[in-house]
Amino acid sequence: MNDRFQAWLGQWGKLWKGVLLCLALAVPAHILGKLVPVVGGPVFAILTGMAITLFWKDKKGFQNGIKFTSKKILQWAVVLLGFGLNLSVVLQTGGQSLPIIVCTIATSLIVAYVLCRLLKVPSVISTLVGVGSSICGGSAVAATASVIDADDEEVAQAISVIFLFNVLAALLFPLMGQMLGFSTTSGEGFGLFAGTAVNDTSSVTACASTWDSMFGLGTATLDKAVTVKLTRTLAIIPITLVLAFVRTRKEKSSGANVDLKKIFPFFILWFIAASAITTVCTALDWTWTAPVFATCKDLSKFLIIVAMAAIGLNTDVVKLVKTGGKPILMGACCWIGIILVSLLLVPR
């Protein structure tokens, strides 16, 4: 036991500086995200990390902790996200939204795959943009990055692309909804549209809340949009498992030794377990668990911000700008494809 403790202390001694730095950057980013929800804490954290890295190149003594934060803490954040998922609520509304969700996800992934070939965009970036656009923005990128072994610059690029279209959606969708004739007496139609066509939870919330306030609908649109968004989040499970399987086959075919323990996304199993625990406790009406789960969900959001700060610290913003044109075009095409499919299938 003493040897294990000593080993733990030795490991922590290499990590603590970088972890604390990321925590220090995450706190103001979290506050700014609350003040400007359409941008969100993760984007503020990435931008802060990028700005610091412009002037601070040698991070010796901090790098191990920064890397640990961008990989392991990001996985812990995804696991805690499961405590915000009540599977019974998702299943109750899934009958209406699931076909639309499947079609929008398929559209985004197909568009990303085709443009990956046509534009010669690196496959890792294509996967991150396609999955992030179609499922749940930053959370999906976080889960996918761990499975396909994306580096921090690739994650930052995908997050930046998705952020751009999140902001556009939050600003434009309420006006678009009016022009397209969505019902202004019920939040059902526009809530379903926002829940399936907007990438990130913060922008879904902003978009649906704006519609509610425009037409005095209370929280009807928001409740619908958030429930649909939770249903989309579940797509993280099959997507990450399939990507792990594809990566395993590629490495085997190339003759490389494959370590399934390193490739298989075990954190997704914990994510499923967290969702199942939430579902069971809610079904048993254990009300005392509700604040615990709410705290876990809030902690998940904060840990994503901490991890995004680490990713920003490992990102060369100059390189990001130089190589950003094609990923932005890909993100725009995925976004437009999702919007068109959602509009085609959502009742107004």
Side-chain angles (χ1 to χ4, degrees), residues 22-156:
C22 296
L23 281 170
L25 297 180
V27 172
H30 176 65
I31 295 169
L32 287 170
K34 293 284 187 182
L35 296 173
V36 193
V38 73
V39 176
V43 174
F44 281 120
I46 273 192
L47 292 177
T48 303
M50 286 180 182
I52 290 173
T53 295
L54 275 174
F55 305 98
W56 183 34
K57 301 296 184 183
D58 184 12
K59 304 184 189 71
K60 188 178 181 180
F62 291 83
Q63 192 59 49
N64 287 334
I66 293 170
K67 185 177 179 181
F68 174 84
T69 303
S70 70
K71 301 296 182 185
K72 292 297 182 182
I73 290 182
L74 196 55
Q75 291 182 8
W76 298 348
V78 174
V79 171
L80 289 173
L81 185 68
F83 287 107
L85 282 174
N86 183 338
L87 300 177
S88 61
V89 173
V90 170
L91 291 173
Q92 286 172 10
T93 59
Q96 181 186 15
S97 62
L98 189 59
I100 303 170
I101 290 169
V102 170
C103 290
T104 53
I105 290 175
T107 299
S108 180
L109 295 178
I110 290 169
V111 168
Y113 176 78
V114 171
L115 291 181
C116 173
R117 295 301 184 88
L118 292 178
L119 299 177
K120 308 298 183 184
V121 178
S123 60
V124 171
I125 289 288
S126 302
T127 302
L128 293 176
V129 171
V131 172
S133 298
S134 61
I135 299 177
C136 53
S139 301
V141 171
T144 305
S146 298
V147 177
I148 62 176
D149 199 27
D151 64 36
D152 288 345
E153 288 190 353
E154 290 165 333
V155 173

Side-chain angles (χ1 to χ4, degrees), residues 264-330:
F264 188 82
F266 286 100
F267 67 95
I268 290 297
L269 300 182
W270 291 109
F271 170 84
I272 296 169
S275 304
I277 290 170
T278 303
T279 305
V280 170
C281 291
T282 304
L284 294 173
D285 200 24
W286 289 354
T287 54
W288 61 270
T289 61
V292 177
F293 296 151
T295 301
C296 288
K297 187 178 177 181
D298 290 339
L299 180 58
S300 168
K301 293 178 181 177
F302 180 70
L303 289 181
I304 286 177
I305 295 172
V306 175
M308 291 303 126
I311 286 169
L313 287 168
N314 275 340
T315 300
D316 183 344
V317 67
V318 175
K319 182 179 176 182
L320 193 69
V321 171
K322 287 181 178 178
T323 60
K326 290 180 179 180
I328 289 174
L329 176 59
M330 175 180 286

Side-chain angles (χ1 to χ4, degrees), residues 207-237:
C207 193
S209 298
T210 299
W211 189 264
D212 279 332
S213 63
M214 285 170 64
F215 303 107
L217 298 176
T219 61
T221 310
L222 179 61
D223 292 344
K224 182 69 175 181
V226 169
T227 304
V228 172
K229 184 67 172 59
L230 291 177
T231 308
R232 282 174 68 190
T233 302
L234 282 178
I236 286 176
I237 299 168

